[in-house]
Amino acid sequence: MAQYADAENQRVRTIGDFLVSSFGRILIALIVPAVTFVVLWQGFIFLRDSNAPQLVITLIAIVWGVGGVAMLFFVSNWLIEQLPQRWMRYLQPFLFVGPAIAILTWYLAIPTLRTFWLSLRNTNGSQFVGLNGQGVPFIQNYIEVFTQRIMLEAFRNNLLWMVLGTSLTVILGLLVAVLADRSKAESIWKSLIFLPMAISFVGAGVIWGMVYEYNPNVGLLNAITGIFGAEPQAWLINQPWNNFFLIVTVIWLQSGYAMVLLSAALKGVPGELLEAARVDGANEIQIFFKILIPYIQGTIITVTTTVVIFTLKVFDAVIVMTGGQYGTEVIGVRFYRESFINRNSGYGSTIAIILLIAVIPVMIYNLKQFGEREVF
Amino acid sequence: MESLKVRRLLSSIAVNGALFLICFIWTIPTLALLISSFRPRDDIKSSGWWTVLPHRGWQTTEELPIPEDMTRDEPITIEGITATYDEFREGVVSEDRQTQFLWVGNLRSGRIEVRERKWGVNWDFTFENYGQVLAGKTYEITNADGSVSIVQGDNFTGAFLNTFTVAIPATVIPILIAAFAAYGFAWMRFPLRKVMFIGVVALLVVPLQIALIPIMRDYVSLDLNGTFLAVWLAHTGFGLPLATYLLYNYISGLPRDILESAFIDGASHFTIFLRLILPLSVPALASFAIFQFLWVWNDYLVALIFLGVTNSDIQVMTMRIQEMTGSRGQDFHALTAGAFVSILVPMIVFFSLQRFFVRGLLAGSVKG
């Protein structure tokens, strides 16, 4: 791109001309950012302190937030374009990628290091953990995370979530994708399975909380088992099965995702391949296991990884339905309670680091994939 | 040939039947929520939502005055049925099992309802649950007996507006920033370009839990906690890796010659980005926008931590619902109405823009 920019704007100016214009430019270059800053700051103060009707606040907040970011881009670009060509060409890329890199650094990259640092330190981060004779220096948090009974329970449950939740989600998604592919009403079936994707975990918690309700006049499950003469059950309290009933909610939410990806992959299987197999006398089950599954293997792996990461971090679904009680504790809930209820930043950070370590294989895989792309 | 047709028909019935069964199970819980939210508060607990379907049950056909010389201990005879007061309170069923006698009210001033087993539907619907949930400080409800009582509203209107206030900027800001960055990575050359982009790819799957404690500390020292700006920025930070990655994939795939001819015409990067790239990228921007909007709208954790539970004026809907399940988990009338209000907007977005949403998912979505 640069060579084209080189060609443009090679104007020659007199020295006087340059001085006058550059003085004016510098003045404007100072005023414009200052005005921008004042406007944005006033908006912030207004939003923080105003008692205006809520609808007004909502509208102003949206305009301020969205407009503010756009304005910052415009003003900084205008400023950069005031600079001499050489400078402009050097700085403009940083205007484009700078904000994203700055935010990613502040919000994800540096916090990773800070969280690791905190995980070595005590409750409020004031000194290294375990230095005053209580436990092993530096790694006491990690020792506790791997020995505390409640954490072990959380690890066990997360394993259950990952294995059971993921496999059932993928199998159901695949089942619906294969079946819907053979139905004329394909898009209707797919929409209905996909719909829960739009619902929050909190909403799903309310929806399934009602299904599991003890009162058989409210709880569908108890009403159904009641028909067969069974006593009402507290499905979300009876251990260890309550974990399974929690996992069902996530299968319900996520199967649509698996179905959409797998369905798209199935559409990519060449028809001739299937025809050839049929001509050779393969039955549908053989075609499914010998041709379809190997062909869409890549997508199955992608879907599985995504759902595994999802179940690893599960939080809302559990906190709404059981709050992590009755043996349903998971890592996500533990992290929240330790960090923000018990205010133990050392311990909370340690749990966060464990979550990070768990996704590192996926991170490496992503980087490898990216490295294999030649275009960049 | 005939047998082939029959086989085709049978397999089609099997396929559609199986799909119907799965979809039926998938839809029932949401349908239950919707129906329950329109039923009167007492009905929800005393009869299942499925009684809105035709069913066989006891229906009152006649009301009898209670005998005057009634005492609690001695059995009495009504219409040929002999039982004690306590048994009548439970409901006494006649021998042919077709009639039930039920004592309603107390010993002195009650009445006896004669009920028969009949087919019927329980179509008693009301908007009062929504009225109460959406109302601010107080809300008047009319009870079954005609009296009026005043209850505390749940102010979901406020929470609804707050959710919008959080969701729209938290969707647009990351897209804008990511679009600039994607253009920069795709069409500009600068030092450390590759290193930075590798950083973006590496951050794709980093769990957001890793950032919550340090960011919380920053917000406390900047006095940003409990402001919308804090939540916008947090969602921007957590959404940026995926947004940048997806938009980069799209923007870098745009045909080179369009841009080159624009450069020859003397357009600057900024102009090309605004006039050319943004309009061309609408499909990609839309798919990510829907993705991010649903994510933010449905988010609970980030809002919980950065908006805080102390000031209920700035709470979003997921926080309110979670609070209700904790403190008033048995108030199904309010819970169902509140939950339905909160899933209404994502459902509309979802149904009207499903195509874009699916495209976004297919473009690869591993969110941290």
Side-chain angles (χ1 to χ4, degrees):
Chain A
M1 286 343 78
Q3 63 265 37
Y4 299 107
D6 268 341
E8 66 176 343
N9 253 343
Q10 294 287 333
R11 276 184 290 166
V12 185
R13 295 192 199 87
T14 66
I15 293 171
D17 223 43
F18 176 75
L19 276 179
V20 171
S21 66
S22 75
F23 179 72
R25 277 180 180 182
I26 289 168
L27 201 66
I28 298 171
L30 289 176
I31 291 172
V32 171
V35 170
T36 315
F37 181 76
V38 169
V39 168
L40 290 180
W41 180 251
Q42 286 305 317
F44 178 72
I45 298 291
F46 172 82
L47 286 172
R48 197 183 57 186
D49 303 334
S50 158
N51 290 316
Q54 209 180 357
L55 188 62
V56 177
I57 301 246
T58 300
L59 290 175
I60 292 180
I62 291 171
V63 170
W64 179 76
V66 173
V69 173
M71 203 161 132
L72 284 175
F73 270 113
F74 271 102
V75 170
S76 349
N77 181 65
W78 177 84
L79 267 180
I80 285 174
E81 286 187 348
Q82 301 308 302
L83 295 170
Q85 272 291 320
R86 250 167 52 92
W87 284 53
M88 180 188 128
R89 240 181 301 122
Y90 184 74
L91 285 179
Q92 208 167 28
F94 295 100
L95 166 74
F96 276 72
V97 299
I101 296 302
I103 289 180
L104 283 176
T105 311
W106 179 23
Y107 278 87
L108 286 171
I110 292 180
T112 307
L113 302 176
R114 289 170 70 188
T115 300
F116 176 67
W117 176 249
L118 283 172
S119 77
L120 305 176
R121 297 175 76 85
N122 63 2
T123 314
N124 58 10
S126 59
Q127 60 169 333
F128 284 113
V129 73
L131 280 189
N132 44 6
Q134 298 163 342
V136 187
F138 308 116
I139 55 163
Q140 181 59 23
N141 285 328
Y142 288 87
I143 291 176
E144 279 174 30
V145 160
F146 285 110
T147 51
Q148 263 197 354
R149 213 179 55 82
I150 189 121
M151 276 310 295
L152 295 179
E153 179 189 308
F155 286 135
R156 181 203 69 190
N157 288 343
N158 267 95
L159 199 66
L160 207 62
W161 277 85
M162 281 156 69
V163 173
L164 220 56
T166 308
S167 55
L168 290 177
T169 302
V170 174
I171 289 171
L172 246 157
L174 188 58
L175 180 70
V176 175
V178 171
L179 287 177
D181 202 35
R182 289 143 191 257
S183 171
K184 287 202 178 88
E186 181 179 357
S187 61
I188 298 173
W189 302 127
K190 281 161 77 172
S191 287
L192 285 174
I193 299 292
F194 197 38
L195 178 70
M197 280 289 288
I199 297 174
S200 62
F201 272 116
V202 175
V206 174
I207 289 173
W208 284 89
M210 278 192 69
V211 174
Y212 299 144
E213 170 62 31
Y214 184 80
N215 176 352
N217 285 326
V218 179
L220 182 63
L221 199 53
N222 274 323
I224 291 172
T225 55
I227 294 174
F228 302 105
E231 288 291 308
Q233 297 287 318
W235 303 106
L236 292 176
I237 294 177
N238 298 343
Q239 300 180 34
W241 300 105
N242 50 1
N243 278 304
F244 177 75
F245 291 107
L246 285 177
I247 291 172
V248 166
T249 61
V250 167
I251 298 173
W252 181 71
L253 279 177
Q254 293 284 301
S255 290
Y257 163 76
M259 184 264 306
V260 164
L261 261 73
L262 293 169
S263 175
L266 284 175
K267 303 253 183 262
V269 179
E272 309 89 74
L273 201 62
L274 301 178
E275 273 318 307
R278 287 202 183 100
V279 169
D280 288 348
N283 63 31
E284 292 299 309
I285 292 171
Q286 284 172 324
I287 289 177
F288 179 77
F289 283 105
K290 299 263 168 70
I291 297 178
L292 289 185
I293 295 277
Y295 202 89
I296 61 170
Q297 203 177 18
T299 313
I300 293 179
I301 292 172
T302 310
V303 172
T304 309
T305 328
T306 312
V307 182
V308 163
I309 293 180
F310 216 86
T311 49
L312 182 71
K313 297 183 299 180
V314 62
F315 166 71
D316 323 21
V318 176
I319 207 137
V320 176
M321 296 177 80
T322 64
Q325 288 169 293
Y326 322 118
T328 58
E329 197 64 77
V330 288
I331 301 175
V333 174
R334 278 282 85 213
F335 166 78
Y336 169 70
R337 284 207 199 287
E338 291 292 351
S339 311
F340 299 102
I341 306 289
N342 301 345
R343 304 235 161 241
N344 186 346
S345 66
Y347 200 89
S349 300
T350 310
I351 300 175
I353 292 291
I354 306 275
L355 284 177
L356 179 70
I357 292 172
V359 299
I360 280 183
V362 185
M363 191 190 287
I364 292 172
Y365 176 81
N366 279 348
L367 287 172
K368 257 192 177 160
Q369 289 274 304
F370 175 72
E372 281 164 17
R373 280 169 43 168
E374 288 163 23
V375 276
F376 199 85
Chain B
M1 242 29 220
E2 258 329 280
S3 82
L4 193 66
K5 257 188 188 167
V6 172
R7 266 182 60 185
R8 279 227 177 112
L9 186 70
L10 282 179
S11 97
S12 156
I13 290 174
V15 163
N16 285 299
L19 283 168
F20 178 81
L21 189 71
I22 298 172
C23 290
F24 182 74
I25 296 170
W26 239 242
T27 320
I28 284 293
T30 319
L31 211 59
L33 182 85
L34 178 64
I35 294 171
S36 298
S37 71
F38 284 107
R39 300 185 70 212
R41 48 172 24 195
D42 296 329
D43 283 16
I44 297 182
K45 283 185 202 167
S46 59
S47 61
W49 57 267
W50 47 89
T51 57
V52 302
L53 303 170
H55 64 285
R56 221 165 120 84
W58 296 113
Q59 287 185 25
T60 307
T61 50
E62 204 182 339
E63 283 185 12
L64 302 175
I66 52 164
E68 275 172 20
D69 53 345
M70 183 70 197
T71 61
R72 182 176 269 269
D73 305 320
E74 283 171 37
I76 56 156
T77 306
I78 300 165
E79 305 249 317
I81 304 275
T82 308
T84 62
Y85 165 74
D86 286 328
E87 285 167 341
F88 275 119
R89 286 281 301 191
E90 294 280 311
V92 180
V93 182
S94 67
E95 267 175 31
D96 58 359
R97 305 193 65 82
Q98 291 307 308
T99 322
Q100 185 197 39
F101 296 90
L102 184 70
W103 194 298
V104 182
N106 62 27
L107 187 61
R108 296 277 160 242
S109 60
R111 59 179 193 275
I112 290 171
E113 287 186 355
V114 182
R115 298 171 156 198
E116 277 175 30
R117 240 176 133 67
K118 273 189 184 172
W119 282 92
V121 288
N122 202 343
W123 278 10
D124 214 357
F125 293 121
T126 175
F127 278 105
E128 263 187 350
N129 303 336
Y130 285 94
Q132 183 193 335
V133 157
L134 293 173
K137 295 270 181 291
T138 58
Y139 184 71
E140 285 183 1
I141 44 174
T142 317
N143 294 323
D145 57 6
S147 65
V148 171
S149 49
I150 292 179
V151 294
Q152 172 109 40
D154 293 299
N155 194 16
F156 259 70
T157 315
F160 188 80
L161 288 175
N162 286 337
T163 313
F164 261 111
T165 317
V166 168
I168 291 180
T171 305
V172 180
I173 295 173
I175 290 183
L176 199 60
I177 294 178
F180 269 102
Y183 177 88
F185 281 121
W187 299 104
M188 290 168 145
R189 294 290 171 269
F190 51 93
L192 295 180
R193 172 174 158 274
K194 189 158 187 181
V195 175
M196 287 183 191
F197 199 79
I198 286 174
V200 172
V201 175
L203 291 175
L204 271 177
V205 288
V206 168
L208 61 87
Q209 276 88 346
I210 205 85
L212 294 181
I213 297 174
I215 298 299
M216 179 76 167
R217 294 186 158 207
D218 290 348
Y219 280 174
V220 168
S221 46
L222 291 170
D223 202 14
L224 266 181
N225 233 356
T227 64
F228 289 123
L229 182 63
V231 188
W232 297 339
L233 286 175
H235 278 303
T236 303
F238 303 145
L240 261 181
L242 184 63
T244 311
Y245 184 71
L246 288 184
L247 293 179
Y248 169 81
N249 282 344
Y250 190 88
I251 289 175
S252 65
L254 291 174
R256 257 192 131 73
D257 9 334
I258 308 181
L259 279 103
E260 288 179 355
S261 56
F263 276 117
I264 292 167
D265 291 346
S268 73
H269 274 301
F270 202 77
T271 322
I272 291 175
F273 175 74
L274 280 189
R275 297 277 165 79
L276 210 59
I277 299 299
L278 278 189
L280 282 175
S281 313
V282 165
L285 297 173
S287 9
F288 183 77
I290 297 160
F291 201 71
Q292 177 79 358
F293 181 81
L294 290 179
W295 169 266
V296 175
W297 187 278
N298 289 335
D299 159 76
Y300 170 63
L301 182 58
V302 175
L304 174 69
I305 284 164
F306 296 132
L307 283 178
V309 282
T310 43
N311 182 0
S312 67
D313 288 344
I314 52 170
Q315 283 185 354
V316 294
M317 280 191 290
T318 46
M319 294 166 78
R320 294 230 62 124
I321 294 171
Q322 158 61 12
E323 222 172 68
M324 273 162 85
T325 56
S327 57
R328 299 156 48 203
Q330 295 296 307
D331 284 0
F332 292 109
H333 64 288
L335 213 47
T336 52
F340 200 76
V341 170
S342 85
I343 65 178
L344 195 61
V345 171
M347 281 217 193
I348 293 171
V349 169
F350 174 83
F351 270 122
S352 51
L353 301 165
Q354 195 177 354
R355 203 161 42 92
F356 288 105
F357 184 52
V358 169
R359 199 180 300 168
L361 281 182
L362 292 179
S365 53
V366 187
K367 188 165 164 110

